[in-house]
Amino acid sequence: MTDTNRIEITGTGLRCADVVRVARRSASTELGADAVKRAESSYQLAVELGAKRAVYGRTTGVGANRHTVVDPESADHHGLRLLRSHAGGTGEPLPDDAVRAVMAIRLNQLAAGGSGVHPRLLEVLQTALRVGALPHVHSRGAIGTGDLAQLAEIALTLAGELPWAAGDLDPVAISPGDALAFISSNAATLGEAVLAWHDLSRLLAASHVVTALTFCALGGSAEAYSERVHAARPHPGAVRCAAELRRLLAGVAEGRRLQDPFGLRAFPQVQGPALDAAAAVEHVLAIDINAAAENPLIDVETEQAYHHGQFSTAYVALAFDQLRAALHHVAELSTARLGDLVEPDLSGLPPFLAEGPAGSSGIMILEYVAHDALGTLRHAASPVTLGTAVISRGLEDHASFSTHAVRSTVAGTAAYRTVLACELLGAVRALRLSGTQLPDTPLREAFRLADGGLPHIPEDHPLSAEIKQAERLLDRLAVL
């Protein structure tokens, strides 16, 4: 992957960051020649195996129809019937970036060579990504045991039976056996998951910067972030967080207090688990986006078809449940620091950082907004993995609901963005009022960006627009 604008699709080594770049159009894909050869070998083996023995979804029905033998004379029609019957998604359409992520992930999974689909399906997916053709994909219809409805919609679009949402391509034939092989994937959930992981990771990076700004406004003690302190209890996320704060706060003066409130003093211990949870999510996703997880697995090396349960996404669901729980703790600390900023005993500034006549409210309302968003995040953090589903006449008796875990993470991320934006507004206002000299680190650039991007209006005024501006600024702060 030497060309930074082009990502080779080989079935191995695709990174979450690569998917994000394809999804958001900063990079394109190139299907590797070996991947096409691998797919061709898998396809030929699947045809041979289907002529000798029962192969689920190729020579049989699916789900509770698994023992129903398909008439070989109508096998091609069986594939189209399967796609038509399963293309029953509903809800809002997936955003364009999510659809591109789905297509890139499914292309890479097929390139791993375990599905047995005809190589032309890989080539048409690659073409669609290159020319910007996008299927219309509904958001609702998956429970964590395969995104059958969404992928059936994509397959029928490729076959010319459903209209394209953007662009257009000539229809491609669906070979006998291609139908289940193409839709036997969680690529839609994984596409949304990768984008959710990326967006939340950016916010967690911005959290270090915002916390450091609040630290300077409150005259915090950097002793809590000492390398010696964290070497004594070296949880990876906490160590990383403390190192980030040392980088941002290098050269700050001694703190005002012997011990700071928890929002500052315990930040690495609370932010650390969220960083570790995000890293765990990335690890799980990196495995799944490179996985030949189709059921059955057409294994060229052993020349066998293996029936299995790789459609289960318990790893994804549980990883995101943990991430949201950790994020809620991080958000609680942000609201606590906002409370510290409006408290004169801690800030040395007027109550609520007000600048107008006596009784002015300043940024009082930001605490209400932040706690409203925190309440939303609290609900989004509830685990989705405590329930299940029994479907297909009792045969399929477990579901991870990973799709819902991902979408709860998207909702929680949006709520946390608001929480952190409220803290950023408070920190910038406090720094303006106090005239605190910031260390000559990226933190100074962070304040310059925030000071230039947020208006300074001394008198009481509506803060809604400034909250939105602060939310947008967070992505810029994340990369400092």
Side-chain angles (χ1 to χ4, degrees), residues 34-55:
D34 287 346
V36 177
K37 292 177 183 177
R38 197 160 41 244
E40 176 65 34
S41 299
S42 179
Y43 170 72
Q44 294 296 340
L45 176 61
V47 171
E48 293 171 14
L49 291 172
K52 298 175 183 177
R53 54 163 288 194
V55 180

Side-chain angles (χ1 to χ4, degrees), residues 190 260 358 416:
L190 294 173
D260 288 324
Y416 180 53

Side-chain angles (χ1 to χ4, degrees), residues 327-344:
L327 179 64
H328 180 258
H329 285 277
V330 173
E332 282 188 320
L333 275 199
S334 180
T335 58
R337 290 190 298 272
L338 178 59
D340 295 339
L341 285 166
V342 301
E343 172 52 56

Side-chain angles (χ1 to χ4, degrees), residues 299-361:
D299 185 58
V300 174
E301 185 175 349
T302 61
E303 298 186 343
Q304 295 294 323
Y306 296 91
H307 298 88
H308 55 75
Q310 294 279 43
F311 47 78
S312 173
T313 49
Y315 275 105
V316 175
L318 288 164
F320 272 97
D321 271 5
Q322 181 182 359
L323 178 56
R324 292 195 314 284
L327 179 64
H328 180 258
H329 285 277
V330 173
E332 282 188 320
L333 275 199
S334 180
T335 58
R337 290 190 298 272
L338 178 59
D340 295 339
L341 285 166
V342 301
E343 172 52 56
D345 288 345
L346 291 170
S347 70
L349 298 168
F352 307 112
L353 305 178
E355 297 182 66
S360 294
S361 296

Side-chain angles (χ1 to χ4, degrees), residues 201-347:
S201 296
R202 290 285 288 268
L203 275 187
L204 290 174
S207 301
H208 297 120
V209 179
V210 175
T211 300
L213 289 170
T214 297
F215 174 99
C216 290
L218 294 174
S221 171
E223 186 179 334
Y225 313 138
S226 164
E227 188 171 3
R228 295 291 298 172
V229 167
H230 290 276
R233 188 179 180 230
H235 289 293
V239 169
R240 177 181 158 196
C241 175
E244 275 296 287
L245 289 172
R246 290 196 302 273
R247 178 179 73 90
L248 293 167
L249 297 170
V252 294
E254 187 175 343
R256 301 174 191 166
R257 292 165 290 274
L258 177 64
Q259 289 204 127
D260 288 324
F262 283 10
L264 295 178
R265 181 159 41 112
F267 179 62
Q269 290 77 11
V270 176
Q271 171 88 341
L275 297 178
D276 287 339
V281 163
E282 183 182 13
H283 177 73
V284 168
L285 294 178
I287 290 174
D288 276 12
I289 66 177
N290 290 285
E294 298 85 5
N295 178 39
L297 170 67
I298 307 300
D299 185 58
V300 174
E301 185 175 349
T302 61
E303 298 186 343
Q304 295 294 323
Y306 296 91
H307 298 88
H308 55 75
Q310 294 279 43
F311 47 78
S312 173
T313 49
Y315 275 105
V316 175
L318 288 164
F320 272 97
D321 271 5
Q322 181 182 359
L323 178 56
R324 292 195 314 284
L327 179 64
H328 180 258
H329 285 277
V330 173
E332 282 188 320
L333 275 199
S334 180
T335 58
R337 290 190 298 272
L338 178 59
D340 295 339
L341 285 166
V342 301
E343 172 52 56
D345 288 345
L346 291 170
S347 70

Side-chain angles (χ1 to χ4, degrees), residues 449-461:
L449 286 171
D451 189 40
L454 299 170
H456 184 195
I457 306 172
E459 62 272 11
D460 286 356
H461 63 283

